[in-house]
Amino acid sequence: MAAIYSLYIINKSGGLIFYKDYGSAGRMDTNDSLRLASLWHSMHAISQQLSPVSGCMGIELLQADTFDLHCFQSLTGTKFFVVCEPGTPHMEGLLKHIYELYTDYVLKNPFYEMEMPIRCELFDVNLAQAVQKDRVALLGR
Amino acid sequence: MQFFGGSEISPSPPVPTASGNNAYMLYIFNRNGVCLLYREWNRPLKTLNSHQDHKLMFGLLFSLKSLTAKMDPTCVDKGNLGVPQLPGQGCSFHSFRTNTYKLSFMESPSGIKIILVTHPRTGDLRESLKYIYNLYVEYVVKNPLYSPGTPIR
């Protein structure tokens, strides 16, 4: 039973550059995932405008009835968000870890063009390991 | 926020927080996006005029509901993005948190949306929102001089 349902990475203009599904019943096709990512990017920006105090950095956690959505925004505007079961702990740590993997295996890859979809094998491999380790840790409680 | 006496209303009021006023703002919208009530207790930063602010808030919630319904990982058959959903149909979110505020949301089956913006470390406010909805039913809907769809006075 997966604690994480899916992972999305969007670039600073709101385009989806990475989408991985880890076992949700509602698996989405490419077009839908692209639309959802752009929608999330806009919602993130609007939520900053509606803040009653200054210094808002956008939505970090969205809680719904059947899932939680954790979002991490890097300083450059790249957003990493993960859809998981309600109440899954340590998602912020996982997102930061994924950000580290992104900087190591994607950004330092000389053939990777910025803002383009991610097609880096090492990134996929290490990401799968990180998620698997997280899943084992959660199930082995 | 001033709570009326609990004796006339069946659910008991939630325990008040020790620090008193925790909330920043409260909005109540009806099904069509008309803002029935807006209260603010603490809002240092005001970027838009109130009309635009209400429209932006309603639009944000409408789109977020549509996003959560589509993104629901447990539901197999979903409508396309942007299709208007009936209240209660599909998965809906109940709160989101940023680093400066937490927004709690509740939608009644009749489409009345109650939004409370509070400090980010506030706990689950669903019971409080239900209580506010009950107050709305008691004092607003049952008021014979109130016409639905107009702002609450």
Side-chain angles (χ1 to χ4, degrees):
Chain A
M1 194 157 105
I4 302 171
Y5 289 120
S6 47
L7 168 73
Y8 297 72
I9 305 181
I10 39 187
N11 64 17
K12 61 168 98 69
S13 5
L16 181 71
I17 55 177
F18 187 79
Y19 165 57
K20 190 87 169 57
D21 184 279
Y22 293 104
S24 71
R27 199 175 294 261
M28 276 185 286
D29 60 358
T30 329
N31 285 335
D32 280 339
S33 55
L34 281 166
R35 270 185 229 130
L36 271 182
S38 319
L39 188 59
W40 178 257
H41 176 81
S42 324
M43 297 297 107
H44 197 92
I46 294 177
S47 68
Q48 286 180 295
Q49 283 212 6
L50 284 170
S51 168
V53 295
S54 55
C56 183
M57 296 300 293
I59 302 180
E60 289 174 357
L61 166 64
L62 176 88
Q63 287 172 307
D65 302 330
T66 51
F67 67 93
D68 279 356
L69 190 149
H70 293 258
C71 179
F72 169 71
Q73 182 177 20
S74 72
L75 292 166
T76 53
T78 313
K79 288 183 253 306
F80 299 76
F81 60 98
V82 65
V83 177
C84 57
E85 281 173 4
T88 316
H90 315 309
M91 281 294 116
E92 280 94 43
L94 178 69
L95 281 171
K96 293 217 168 72
H97 186 50
I98 295 176
Y99 180 50
E100 277 177 42
L101 292 176
Y102 169 78
T103 56
D104 282 338
Y105 295 107
V106 177
L107 296 180
K108 293 179 187 173
N109 183 336
F111 299 109
Y112 172 68
E113 292 174 48
M114 283 305 299
E115 319 295 337
M116 289 281 112
I118 295 173
R119 302 251 181 273
C120 308
E121 199 187 307
L122 276 177
F123 178 66
D124 291 332
V125 163
N126 281 279
L127 182 66
Q129 272 181 357
V131 169
Q132 192 59 36
K133 207 164 30 161
D134 188 70
R135 189 179 305 176
V136 166
L138 284 170
L139 289 176
R141 254 172 306 174
Chain B
M1 178 167 166
Q2 199 73 28
F3 283 112
F4 300 97
S7 50
E8 303 126 65
I9 306 167
S10 33
S12 59
V15 177
T17 57
S19 53
N21 253 346
N22 189 15
Y24 288 127
M25 295 111 73
L26 167 76
Y27 297 77
I28 301 184
F29 289 102
N30 79 350
R31 214 171 172 153
N32 303 324
V34 175
C35 183
L36 304 176
L37 185 73
Y38 170 67
R39 284 274 180 276
E40 74 179 38
W41 296 280
N42 183 14
R43 191 173 188 176
L45 177 71
K46 282 177 240 253
T47 48
L48 305 161
N49 74 14
S50 61
H51 220 66
Q52 285 181 328
D53 185 61
H54 299 329
K55 281 198 271 205
L56 196 63
M57 178 59 87
F58 187 77
L60 175 72
L61 294 168
F62 184 83
S63 312
L64 268 179
K65 252 171 43 94
S66 157
L67 182 129
T68 50
K70 185 70 189 181
M71 211 177 240
D72 184 7
T74 54
C75 173
V76 179
D77 173 43
K78 289 167 266 192
N80 289 317
L81 208 56
V83 169
Q85 307 258 324
L86 298 170
Q89 185 188 39
C91 175
S92 172
F93 75 104
H94 55 81
S95 76
F96 73 73
R97 174 174 61 91
T98 72
N99 60 323
T100 50
Y101 69 95
K102 178 171 186 172
L103 185 143
S104 306
F105 170 76
M106 186 193 103
E107 181 169 25
S108 79
S110 57
I112 300 294
K113 304 179 194 4
I114 305 182
I115 296 108
L116 200 56
V117 177
T118 58
H119 188 271
R121 276 207 285 279
T122 317
D124 191 7
L125 282 177
R126 278 182 276 188
E127 290 307 312
S128 309
L129 289 175
K130 282 202 193 110
Y131 182 73
I132 296 173
Y133 179 63
N134 281 320
L135 286 177
Y136 166 81
V137 164
E138 288 293 321
Y139 293 104
V140 177
V141 175
K142 295 185 182 176
N143 183 342
L145 300 173
Y146 172 74
S147 38
T150 58
I152 299 167
R153 300 254 171 267

